[in-house]
Amino acid sequence: PYKLMDLPNGIKSLATGNEHVVLLNSIGDVYTWGNNDQGQLGDGLSFPRIQPYLVKLPQIVRISCAQNYTLALDYKNEVWFWGRLNYVSEKFQGHRVPKRISLPGSIGVSQISCGSTFASIVTVDNRVFIWGQNLCGQLGLGHKNPVDEPREMSGLKGVSGVLSATNSALFLTKDGRVYVTGRTGQTIYHTNPKEVKFNKKIVQIGASWKLDQFGVKTENGEIHRWGFHDKTGLPQLTDFENIVQIFSNGCTPTVYPDNYNYGDGFIVSKLKSETKSTKTEQVINKNSKEKTATKKENVGSTRSYIDGWSDVKVRLTDGYFAAHSKILRESSMYFAIMLDCGANKKELDLTEFDAATCRTFFKYLYTSKLDTVNVQYVPQLYQMADRDPELHQKCREIWERHLTRRTVLSMFENAFKYNATGLKKLCIPLLMQHSDNLLKSEEFKRLPNNVKRGLLSLLSDFTEFNLASMFHQMKFQI
């Protein structure tokens, strides 16, 4: 075994190809290492790496890879491709750096899956697009011809997830039904989606790109398996406790849904609906007269949910949108101070914050719906929501889910930066438990001195911690 260098911000997920590995950490960074003869590391070069390389990408929430290529889904629901996928157009051959995949109508993507020589994606409106090699009809398009660009599988709707195997694919619908395409038995092929019948609703599916083998879990916990090595191609009930056991001593499967909390991935739907939800609020216009405004949830747009009765402009790093001062004052002391004390009371400058986090907060104000938030940006959201106990609680829950020994120092630093006292205090139990090792670690030494002081001071408030002695040992002044 070869020990890799320590990677910051923990590990969220791993994906493996034939001879390369892709790692996604908890803040959306992607690292790759291994063979690189087909550009599968995404570094623009062709020589292999034994140490992880940080790929130049936006913040990523999901990864998938197969033989010599990788797909990555970013927080804006866009898909990136690099490496080589055979039997397709030049667009998907030999890309040594990540290239964004465009779908008709710029529809957003919610899930990705790499098969051995084909790829599948599910859109935010539950459609399937698929492309690549098709020798066994695995693309589900009614034929066995290769398809060199993403093409919609028109015969299947309402899909929540897809897993691509070697020459077959497995689909889970929103209502718990399962469909297959391609080779599902020794002599069984399906060029159109074929429903696999079960007595109970299916809640989880599993497959691997290296093997035409499938597993499903029913709502009452039963595990069924079937695949290429079965003559009948029909599911068989097992005594396994989970889907992963099906693939023991064979290959590492992908399981969907994987029961992992993807709260550290900010996902913005790109559906182009005009009024997905509406809500009525009383707001005050420029003349202080009461007006009723219907707020439209314009998801993913850089504009506000309503321009009609707005009286303040919000400036972000990537544009402006209109908002309502009354709602902002009532929801956030931070915004109230900015509006009352700022030089320009008609404009809020929020360029110090992440733009996507700001939109998440404003969407929550107007619709009471909280999108998935990257844990890196939770302190910003926490600071904005200082008059909203419910949102504060949601932020604390996200924060606690991601606190580990490996992440606690970086998370404390982030909370310290935005003076999120409640989030800093949540770090204390882990800091106390592992203080001997953490305070001697290289990560602690790299922290800014003001963060070190704040951390040690907070520890001393909760323990018999000798603050003066520790500061002396660290050789910096209080």
Side-chain angles (χ1 to χ4, degrees):
Y2 182 85
K3 183 180 178 181
L4 297 170
M5 68 179 188
D6 291 332
L7 293 173
N9 302 303
I11 299 174
K12 177 176 176 178
S13 60
L14 283 166
T16 56
N18 245 3
E19 297 177 327
H20 77 289
V21 181
V22 182
L23 180 149
L24 175 65
N25 71 11
S26 61
I27 63 169
D29 295 329
V30 173
Y31 292 84
T32 59
W33 66 94
N35 191 13
N36 197 24
D37 58 350
Q38 304 295 324
Q40 54 265 55
L41 301 189
D43 60 359
L45 304 172
S46 58
F47 56 81
R49 292 180 181 268
I50 59 173
Q51 289 289 358
Y53 167 78
L54 178 59
V55 185
K56 294 183 174 74
L57 284 164
Q59 179 190 335
I60 298 300
V61 297
R62 289 184 187 275
I63 55 173
S64 180
C65 66
Q67 282 190 354
N68 299 312
Y69 74 100
T70 301
L71 293 178
L73 178 64
D74 72 20
Y75 75 103
K76 291 183 178 180
N77 300 83
E78 295 180 332
V79 180
W80 298 81
F81 168 92
W82 65 93
R84 183 182 183 88
L85 178 56
N86 294 325
Y87 311 108
V88 295
S89 67
E90 292 183 2
K91 182 178 180 180
F92 298 102
Q93 291 196 25
H95 278 290
R96 298 189 178 275
V97 295
K99 180 178 180 63
R100 186 168 60 85
I101 297 175
S102 298
L103 294 181
S106 298
I107 190 68
V109 173
S110 62
Q111 202 233 335
I112 54 177
S113 180
C114 293
S116 179
T117 56
F118 73 104
S120 312
I121 55 182
V122 179
T123 64
V124 294
D125 59 351
N126 305 111
R127 292 184 286 159
V128 176
F129 284 78
I130 196 163
W131 72 104
Q133 182 57 279
N134 194 26
L135 289 174
C136 298
Q138 59 261 43
L139 303 189
L141 301 173
H143 57 75
K144 294 184 179 181
N145 302 317
V147 174
D148 58 10
E149 297 282 342
R151 184 176 301 175
E152 183 177 358
M153 184 187 291
S154 58
L156 193 55
K157 304 294 183 184
V159 174
S160 62
V162 58
L163 295 179
S164 304
T166 304
N167 294 296
S168 55
L170 188 64
F171 306 86
L172 178 65
T173 65
K174 292 191 296 180
D175 57 1
R177 291 178 296 149
V178 167
Y179 290 81
V180 294
T181 58
R183 182 175 62 177
T184 60
Q186 290 185 6
T187 59
I188 301 170
Y189 300 85
H190 302 290
T191 58
N192 288 298
K194 170 72 174 178
E195 184 175 5
V196 183
K197 300 285 187 177
F198 294 92
N199 292 328
K200 298 289 184 179
K201 178 181 177 181
I202 301 302
V203 297
Q204 201 172 49
I205 58 176
S208 168
W209 72 264
K210 276 195 164 186
L211 188 68
D212 286 317
Q213 179 77 42
F214 307 115
V216 300
K217 181 179 180 179
T218 65
E219 59 185 345
N220 63 345
E222 293 179 347
I223 305 296
H224 298 257
R225 65 176 293 176
W226 76 102
F228 169 66
H229 296 293
D230 305 318
K231 292 181 179 180
T232 64
L234 298 175
Q236 302 172 20
L237 179 63
T238 73
D239 57 0
F240 293 139
E241 295 180 358
N242 59 64
I243 289 178
V244 175
Q245 290 176 292
I246 294 173
F247 300 86
S248 139
N249 300 320
C251 49
T252 304
T254 299
V255 177
Y256 176 86
D258 59 6
N259 296 329
Y260 187 93
N261 187 313
Y262 277 94
D264 56 354
F266 181 86
I267 301 178
V268 181
S269 171
K270 295 179 72 177
L271 285 170
K272 300 294 191 287
S273 59
E274 292 296 321
T275 56
K276 285 190 66 182
S277 66
T278 59
K279 182 178 177 182
T280 302
E281 293 279 357
Q282 292 294 326
V283 296
I284 301 177
N285 69 356
K286 295 180 180 180
N287 298 319
S288 298
K289 295 180 181 180
E290 293 287 334
K291 295 284 185 180
T292 299
T294 301
K295 292 163 181 65
K296 297 180 180 179
E297 182 186 333
N298 186 11
V299 186
S301 169
T302 57
R303 299 188 60 77
S304 70
Y305 306 107
I306 292 186
D307 288 334
W309 307 107
S310 60
D311 60 347
V312 63
K313 186 163 63 171
V314 179
R315 181 154 66 98
L316 304 179
T317 55
D318 60 356
Y320 290 85
F321 67 86
H324 311 85
S325 60
K326 182 175 186 291
I327 294 175
L328 299 185
R329 282 191 174 91
E330 290 177 351
S331 62
S332 172
M333 175 66 75
Y334 180 81
F335 289 148
I337 293 173
M338 290 184 70
L339 288 167
D340 293 336
C341 303
N344 184 355
K345 298 182 180 181
K346 299 299 180 183
E347 179 176 311
L348 283 181
D349 186 350
L350 300 184
T351 53
E352 65 176 298
F353 293 106
D354 173 68
T357 305
C358 291
R359 292 198 190 90
T360 296
F361 177 70
F362 282 100
K363 177 180 175 180
Y364 177 83
L365 289 187
Y366 285 85
T367 68
S368 298
K369 295 180 179 180
L370 182 63
D371 282 335
T372 308
V373 184
N374 187 311
V375 69
Q376 177 185 5
Y377 302 119
V378 166
Q380 300 182 29
L381 192 62
Y382 191 87
Q383 182 179 3
M384 289 185 243
D386 54 14
R387 281 183 172 176
D388 192 319
E390 183 179 348
L391 185 52
H392 256 191
Q393 179 59 30
K394 292 179 184 292
C395 289
R396 285 193 291 269
E397 290 172 358
I398 296 171
W399 196 252
E400 286 183 299
R401 285 199 297 267
H402 292 82
L403 274 174
T404 67
R405 178 185 173 184
R406 296 188 58 155
T407 63
V408 65
L409 285 177
S410 62
M411 289 177 69
F412 180 88
E413 180 183 9
N414 199 10
F416 185 92
K417 177 180 178 181
Y418 292 96
N419 195 29
T421 303
L423 301 184
K424 287 190 290 184
K425 289 181 178 179
L426 289 177
C427 298
I428 290 299
L430 273 174
L431 290 170
M432 291 171 57
Q433 182 181 354
H434 303 288
S435 60
D436 289 346
N437 292 325
L438 289 174
L439 298 181
K440 297 175 183 177
S441 67
E442 289 299 318
E443 187 177 2
F444 178 82
K445 293 176 183 178
R446 289 194 293 266
L447 292 176
N449 282 350
N450 63 330
V451 178
K452 293 178 184 175
R453 295 188 189 98
L455 188 154
L456 297 175
S457 178
L458 199 56
L459 278 176
S460 68
D461 290 341
F462 287 86
T463 66
E464 299 292 332
F465 197 75
N466 191 330
L467 183 62
S469 173
M470 181 55 68
F471 271 113
H472 178 71
Q473 291 179 39
M474 296 299 170
K475 297 181 179 180
F476 62 82
Q477 299 297 317
I478 298 180

